[in-house]
Amino acid sequence: MSASPTRVSQNRSFGGDQQVFRHDSTVLGCAMNVGIYLPPAAASGPCPVVYWLSGLTCNEQNFITKAAAQEHAARLGLILVAPDTSPRGEGVPDDDAYDLGCGAGFYLNATREPWARHYRMYDYVVDELPALVEAHFPADKERRSILGHSMGGHGALVIALRNPGRYRAVSAFAPITAPSQVPWGQKAFRAYLGEDQAAWAEYDATALLPSAKERLPILVDQGDKDQFLERELKPERFQRACEEAGHPLTLRMQPGYDHSYYTIATFIGDHLTHHATALRATPRL
């Protein structure tokens, strides 16, 4: 298990506390920052936890400063956890391009050098980070959910699909839904995983849907003015896969909205309400 986290910052927000912690990650082999919002209800006992996964070039700061999520989390009694998007620091491999290396972990476990030692964001998000949160914060160990944006939307969908029973809800903003079929995903998968298409499919939400063992309803918001819509995101392919698999999907095409945090801030309340409703429901057997 990782060492106890050290608080980096703390700011009062809507009666709760927006904090940033730093901890040494065993899985990633480096120190990691994590944003954690504790709602007022956390002072009285454990609260359900919503994990947020950010997109390319982001770190823990983007969501906690731009998404306008704290007011909704305070009202709904949700702990929000927003980790960095990749390992960072001395000795961690990087690349000059924005879409590979630091800031571009793609929420997978790399198998190729020089990435394999540090780039294990899948294991970090699924195992190490929840263990840390549940050991050191008033988190309800039985009630967790996950959402994300762009690369983080890809991560949220993949992680939920691969881990039935772990999350009560999943949603995404402008997710990379079929990374094996688009330039962002192909570049990252080739670098981190090599040419094995079966390995790529393990981190591709569209490819995972036919064999999914759980049917968590998925909420996706996608702006129709998103500059990456046609080239990188391909929501229509994911929608078709959901229809063929009988997987519940609400895909909302939002007129005039783009890929930015302005879109996220506009609809984050809907998403957190989606999560809060599921987190309060009796788990399905």
Side-chain angles (χ1 to χ4, degrees), residues 230-244:
E230 294 185 6
R231 177 180 167 88
E232 304 286 2
L233 306 180
K234 306 295 185 184
E236 70 283 355
R237 297 185 185 182
F238 186 66
Q239 183 178 39
R240 184 164 59 249
C242 284
E243 291 170 352
E244 292 173 354

Side-chain angles (χ1 to χ4, degrees), residues 45-267:
C47 292
V49 184
V50 179
Y51 289 86
W52 167 270
L53 305 182
S54 290
L56 287 166
T57 76
C58 293
N59 57 32
E60 82 288 345
Q61 289 294 319
N62 297 76
F63 178 73
I64 68 176
T65 59
K66 296 180 179 180
Q70 291 88 351
E71 181 177 8
H72 302 290
R75 172 175 53 85
L76 296 167
L78 302 174
I79 294 175
L80 302 179
V81 178
D84 201 346
T85 55
S86 76
R88 299 180 195 264
E90 185 177 353
V92 174
D94 197 7
D95 190 272
D96 290 337
Y98 78 95
D99 53 358
L100 190 67
C102 292
F106 267 84
Y107 303 102
L108 51 73
N109 289 336
T111 56
R112 294 189 69 221
E113 298 300 336
W115 315 104
R117 166 65 186 90
H118 296 281
Y119 283 75
R120 302 186 63 81
M121 288 297 294
Y122 178 88
D123 281 353
Y124 178 72
V125 171
V126 172
D127 296 318
E128 188 178 35
L129 181 60
L132 181 85
V133 169
E134 291 164 10
H136 297 284
F137 299 93
D140 187 329
K141 298 179 181 180
E142 302 301 322
R143 294 189 294 164
R144 63 178 77 88
S145 67
I146 192 164
L147 76 162
H149 171 231
S150 193
M151 178 185 72
H154 139 75
L157 294 174
V158 166
I159 287 170
L161 288 168
R162 286 183 56 173
N163 293 276
R166 174 169 282 270
Y167 304 97
R168 298 278 189 92
V170 59
S171 71
F173 290 89
I176 306 170
T177 61
S180 298
Q181 303 177 47
V182 300
W184 273 343
Q186 291 167 346
K187 178 179 180 179
F189 287 180
R190 190 165 284 115
Y192 296 140
L193 303 172
E195 298 293 344
D196 183 358
Q197 299 293 310
W200 291 20
E202 290 297 309
Y203 299 102
D204 186 312
T206 298
L208 288 168
L209 268 170
S211 60
K213 294 182 172 62
E214 186 177 37
R215 291 290 186 259
L216 284 182
I218 299 171
L219 171 63
V220 172
D221 272 314
Q222 173 64 64
D224 71 357
K225 298 301 183 185
D226 190 318
Q227 62 269 43
F228 303 111
L229 177 58
E230 294 185 6
R231 177 180 167 88
E232 304 286 2
L233 306 180
K234 306 295 185 184
E236 70 283 355
R237 297 185 185 182
F238 186 66
Q239 183 178 39
R240 184 164 59 249
C242 284
E243 291 170 352
E244 292 173 354
H247 199 114
L249 169 69
T250 300
L251 172 61
R252 307 193 308 186
M253 297 300 298
Q254 301 292 359
Y257 285 88
D258 59 19
H259 201 70
S260 72
Y261 266 83
Y262 292 108
T263 301
I264 295 169
T266 300
F267 300 108

Side-chain angles (χ1 to χ4, degrees), residues 10-19 36-42 70 74:
Q10 180 173 356
N11 299 93
R12 198 71 170 160
S13 180
F14 295 98
D17 288 292
Q18 177 62 65
Q19 306 181 41
I36 299 181
Y37 178 72
L38 299 177
Q70 291 88 351

